[in-house]
Every structure is written in structure tokens, then in C-alpha cells.
Amino acid sequence: EEAADKIFREIDLDGHGAIMLSEWCEYARKLEVVANSEIGATFSLKFSRASNPVSKSKNLSSKKLAKKRLTKKVAIKESLLQAFLKCLAPYGERTVPGVKLRKAAWTFLDPNGTGIVSLVDLDAWILRECNTMIGEMRE
């Protein structure tokens, strides 16, 4: 029980005794980065915007071609991550509209009022919200 309390305090950044979606997301992000997972690697990337795209020359060396492919993969991951964050950002805002969004989402996720939501239902809801707000998310 002490371990659970410690984790709760670690997640509850503002110390208000409740875990906000933004606090949960930040905690999950930190865990992914520390675990060096694929998602964590995406979160820790430092993206740069080159003014000139990689040349489309037919004489690209294998190293340049590999770099071009990696740059494209990073750009795709960046755009998906940005879309995901854009989708969920309004739910983490500490504003009246943000509170209303969270309450509406919780009511949808917990229609019986048990205070329990499965991760499967939460995952489906997030995917549905993102698809509604920004179009089909790629897996």
C-alpha cells in the first residue's frame, strides 16, 4: 500500500489529491522514456525542420538512403504524436471547458457510476476521440 501511495504522489504533481489526465499522461510519458520503448524514443526525439528536403538524386549512397528513410519515419512518428497530443490536449486543460470535457468523457466511460474504467474501454475511447477530431489514426 505504501508503494501505491508513493506512485500516487509521484503522479499527482499539483498535490490536489486527484490525478488529472495531463498528470497521468506526463507520468506515462516519463515511464516510456525511462524504459527506452519505441514510444519513449518518440517522446524524447528532438525534431528539427530542415529547410531543404533530402535530394531526390538517383545516386544516393546507401547511408544517405537509410538516413532519408529514417527521416521520413521520424516525420511520420512526429506527426502522429502531434496529432495524438492535439486530440487529447483539451481534456488536460485547467479551464472550465477542460473540466466539462473531462466530466463528459468520464460519464461516457463510466455510465454505471462505479468509478471503474477498463483500459480496453479507455483505449477505445481515445481512439474514437482521435478519429473524430483529426481523422483516422494509423496504428
Side-chain angles (χ1 to χ4, degrees):
E1 197 170 305
E2 285 180 31
D5 287 340
K6 181 180 180 221
I7 292 170
F8 183 88
R9 286 190 306 275
E10 196 175 318
I11 297 171
D12 183 23
L13 298 174
D14 61 13
H16 287 132
I19 296 175
M20 305 296 291
L21 178 60
S22 58
E23 293 171 327
W24 170 252
C25 290
E26 179 60 18
Y27 178 74
R29 184 195 68 77
K30 285 179 183 175
L31 288 179
E32 293 293 339
V33 170
V34 168
N36 201 26
S37 68
E38 184 177 343
I39 292 172
T42 302
F43 279 129
S44 63
L45 286 174
K46 302 286 185 227
F47 298 106
S48 63
R49 308 240 189 289
S51 57
N52 296 327
V54 177
S55 169
K56 295 190 178 198
S57 167
K58 292 180 183 178
N59 300 342
L60 288 176
S61 71
S62 60
K63 280 187 178 181
K64 285 184 181 178
L65 189 57
K67 184 177 180 180
K68 181 179 174 182
R69 286 183 184 140
L70 178 61
T71 302
K72 186 175 180 180
K73 284 183 181 180
V74 167
I76 290 169
K77 285 183 179 184
E78 177 186 31
S79 64
L80 287 174
L81 177 60
Q82 286 175 336
F84 176 75
L85 294 174
K86 179 181 175 184
C87 170
L88 295 181
Y91 292 93
E93 292 177 2
R94 294 174 188 217
T95 61
V96 172
V99 170
K100 287 180 180 178
L101 280 172
R102 287 189 296 278
K103 285 183 179 180
W106 188 259
T107 300
F108 177 82
L109 286 164
D110 183 28
N112 299 327
T114 61
I116 299 171
V117 174
S118 76
L119 290 177
V120 171
D121 291 338
L122 180 61
D123 183 60
W125 176 83
I126 290 171
L127 189 57
R128 191 199 76 207
E129 287 297 301
C130 289
N131 286 342
T132 300
M133 292 176 99
I134 57 177
E136 291 295 312
M137 295 285 292
R138 288 175 254 163
E139 291 184 30

